[in-house]
Amino acid sequence: MKTRIMGFFGAVNQSCFGGDSYSYLCRSSVSSFCFNSSRTANQLDSLYVSDDDNNQALDFPGGKVTFSSQMRFISETGENRVPCYRVLDDNGEPIIGSNYEQLTKELAVKMYGNMVTLQMMDTIFYEAQRQGRISFYVTSLGEEAINIASAAALTPDDVVMPQYREPGVLLWRGFTLQEFANQCFGNKADYGKGRQMPIHYGSNKLNYFTVSSPIATQLPQAVGAAYSLKMDKKDACVVTYIGDGGTSEGDFHAALNFAAVMEAPVVFICRNNGWAISTHISEQFRSDGIVVKGQAYGIRSIRIDGNDALAVYCAIHAAREMAVSEQRPILVECLTYRVGHHSTSDDSTKYRPIEEIEYWKSARNPVNRYRKWVERNGWWSDEEDRELRSNVRKELLQVIQLAEKTDKHPVTELFADVYDAPPLNLQEQEKQLRETITRHPKDYPSSVPV
């Protein structure tokens, strides 16, 4: 088979990215074709073979280390970039010889339905924010496959510690569109009592920890939670998500080392979409993406096509099985692209070309690619698609209207649920807030009870 490459901000072996269309972003070439990332690992292993005739070794903590009479520095980069696991090509056709988990019709159709629902929810909620009906929103456009396919590969007992671009995981687990709307509008039905920014979802019932804005703080927390599952001998793991920008945080490195040393059953899923808000990955790190960082910490890792729902499902399914059965951490790097702006506070056209955005939105759309595969199996039709989209749109408009009309929590909720009896400083803050509202009633939203 002919070797092809695709420029994911540098060339990536197209065991993941097949197709001539990728010449658009191609920047350099590679010379090997491989579905298994172990090849690169073997190349690294060869650097540690001793060429000393005496074959002497140092019995050092962690294992024996052989000596070498040659002064040899390990290269900062591998000969080739780590290849990327892929199942479906751009047209939704399974790649010949690809190894993947077979999906039932029921599961496959449900995954597609959830991907469409997530896509439409993002579009309509984004428009609601632009209309001034909610204060903030973050979309997952372009990353629907990572959200839904990874969630489908887990069990309900697995604990999820998200970043802020994984609402699809919660959607898959049963969080209703009404519950999403209630949180974004911060009304009385919002489980967070209106204290959080929109999109900071959470559900104790669905084992989905509440989204926290500080970047990467969930990673070491995930390791601790995973170790507790290990101590309790639970048949479950913790799955945590992070973006490529978050890997520049110290918490990312602390978490990987913590997980490796404690052999915690945790799956780290990194959405490498090339941009940390406006910071390009070339300004984030010089390594071959995120996947190579796993080996440095002693963690089994894989790079996958994050826009291929089948590849994501299969890789996360396998990663979860290894994490639970072998009691070990796994790192999964998903190559993808954020088609939408970072948030409603961002205009990504200021730092990346519109042509780049449109290319990924059309040629590498994960929803369209997966739909083609489902249709080829005879499991989906244009009529069913139109009906699905019409029903989802109607429901979304209804839940927004209801959430908007639902009463807000009173001001007192700002100061509750932390202390049994509010301390003096909180009592003083509440007093000052009420005085401010009395002085400036027009500047205070009338929908919030005083």
Side-chain angles (χ1 to χ4, degrees):
M1 184 177 293
K2 182 180 178 182
T3 300
R4 296 180 179 136
I5 52 85
M6 174 275 163
F8 186 81
F9 312 109
V12 178
N13 190 319
Q14 282 210 14
S15 56
C16 167
F17 297 104
D20 294 333
S21 61
Y22 293 108
S23 60
Y24 173 82
L25 291 177
C26 180
R27 298 182 182 177
S28 60
S29 62
V30 294
S31 59
S32 64
F33 184 94
C34 180
F35 281 92
N36 193 327
S37 62
S38 63
R39 179 170 180 177
T40 300
N42 293 337
Q43 291 172 345
L44 290 175
D45 291 342
S46 65
L47 295 174
Y48 299 96
V49 178
S50 172
D51 58 359
D52 195 298
D53 292 338
N54 296 326
N55 198 28
Q56 295 180 344
L58 174 65
D59 191 3
F60 195 77
K64 289 187 177 182
V65 179
T66 58
F67 291 108
S68 173
S69 59
Q70 301 298 314
M71 182 172 63
R72 185 180 303 159
F73 289 83
I74 299 173
S75 174
E76 69 279 7
T77 58
E79 181 181 349
N80 298 308
R81 295 192 69 179
V82 175
C84 179
Y85 172 64
R86 188 189 204 193
V87 175
L88 298 178
D89 65 17
D90 299 337
N91 296 315
E93 291 274 12
I95 297 172
I96 297 175
S98 58
N99 181 22
Y100 64 96
E101 190 87 10
Q102 298 294 329
L103 272 62
T104 64
K105 175 183 177 180
E106 181 183 11
L107 177 59
V109 170
K110 182 182 178 182
M111 285 172 58
Y112 177 71
N114 274 250
M115 290 172 71
V116 170
T117 301
L118 175 60
Q119 188 181 61
M120 295 188 68
M121 181 178 79
D122 278 345
T123 300
I124 292 177
F125 278 21
Y126 185 90
E127 292 172 353
Q129 192 282 332
R130 285 299 189 241
Q131 294 167 0
R133 300 166 78 176
I134 57 177
S135 61
F136 179 78
Y137 196 71
V138 170
T139 73
S140 303
L141 298 173
E143 302 181 20
E144 295 91 348
I146 296 174
N147 270 249
I148 301 303
S150 67
L154 306 177
T155 71
D157 292 331
D158 295 327
V159 177
V160 176
M161 292 196 174
Q163 193 183 20
Y164 46 68
R165 216 177 294 278
E166 292 82 30
V169 178
L170 198 50
L171 177 67
W172 178 268
R173 292 195 160 201
F175 210 66
T176 66
L177 295 180
Q178 189 65 65
E179 289 174 306
F180 281 111
N182 291 338
Q183 197 284 326
C184 287
F185 280 88
N187 59 33
K188 271 193 171 182
D190 169 30
Y191 303 132
K193 298 187 176 182
R195 296 164 177 157
Q196 276 276 26
M197 291 173 64
I199 68 89
H200 288 61
Y201 314 109
S203 173
N204 289 335
K205 180 177 68 174
L206 300 176
N207 273 334
Y208 188 98
F209 274 61
T210 301
V211 174
S212 178
S213 285
I215 301 300
T217 55
Q218 72 275 13
L219 302 183
Q221 296 164 1
V223 180
Y227 190 65
S228 72
L229 293 177
K230 179 177 182 175
M231 292 177 66
D232 292 339
K233 302 185 186 307
K234 298 289 187 180
D235 184 25
C237 68
V238 175
V239 179
T240 186
Y241 297 79
I242 191 68
D244 50 275
T247 66
S248 292
E249 294 285 345
D251 280 348
F252 171 78
H253 300 274
L256 262 62
N257 192 57
F258 183 20
V261 172
M262 302 307 292
E263 297 180 332
V266 55
V267 179
F268 298 97
I269 301 177
C270 177
R271 299 173 289 93
N272 183 354
N273 61 31
W275 294 93
I277 307 184
S278 60
T279 303
H280 190 267
I281 58 173
S282 63
E283 298 175 2
Q284 288 282 348
F285 43 74
R286 286 291 184 268
S287 62
D288 178 13
I290 313 302
V291 66
V292 295
K293 302 179 191 294
Q295 188 179 44
Y297 288 105
I299 293 178
R300 190 174 296 171
S301 311
I302 187 172
R303 169 178 282 163
I304 67 175
D305 181 356
N307 286 25
D308 178 353
L310 280 187
V312 174
Y313 176 83
C314 296
I316 301 305
H317 185 271
R320 187 221 173 256
E321 289 301 312
M322 285 187 285
V324 174
S325 63
E326 301 178 29
Q327 293 294 286
R328 65 163 66 243
I330 304 291
L331 172 63
V332 181
E333 178 187 20
C334 304
L335 299 188
T336 185
Y337 191 83
R338 168 172 52 82
V339 170
H341 304 299
H342 174 76
S343 71
T344 49
S345 302
D346 174 48
D347 179 3
S348 62
T349 62
K350 300 296 184 182
Y351 53 82
R352 58 182 186 173
I354 295 177
E355 294 80 9
E356 178 181 295
I357 300 172
E358 288 301 318
Y359 168 77
W360 284 83
K361 186 177 181 179
S362 56
R364 301 224 62 244
N365 188 302
V367 181
N368 293 347
R369 192 204 300 190
Y370 183 66
R371 175 185 173 179
K372 291 175 183 177
W373 177 77
V374 177
E375 286 179 333
R376 282 195 181 92
N377 286 322
W379 297 340
W380 198 248
S381 66
D382 289 342
E383 182 180 349
E384 290 173 308
D385 204 73
R386 285 192 294 270
E387 183 179 359
L388 168 66
R389 292 177 184 274
S390 176
N391 291 339
V392 171
R393 180 176 176 79
K394 288 178 183 177
E395 184 178 356
L396 282 166
L397 295 177
Q398 290 172 356
V399 300
I400 287 176
Q401 290 176 357
L402 180 58
E404 207 167 21
K405 294 176 181 178
T406 303
D407 292 339
K408 299 290 194 293
H409 285 279
V411 167
T412 52
E413 287 294 349
L414 281 172
F415 308 94
D417 294 340
V418 177
Y419 299 97
D420 180 41
L424 292 178
N425 65 316
L426 284 186
Q427 294 179 36
E428 181 63 26
Q429 288 177 29
E430 183 176 357
K431 178 183 176 183
Q432 290 176 357
L433 175 60
R434 294 185 180 280
E435 291 173 350
T436 301
I437 295 172
T438 301
R439 289 197 304 268
H440 308 282
K442 294 182 179 180
D443 297 329
Y444 188 78
S446 57
S447 60
V448 179
V450 177

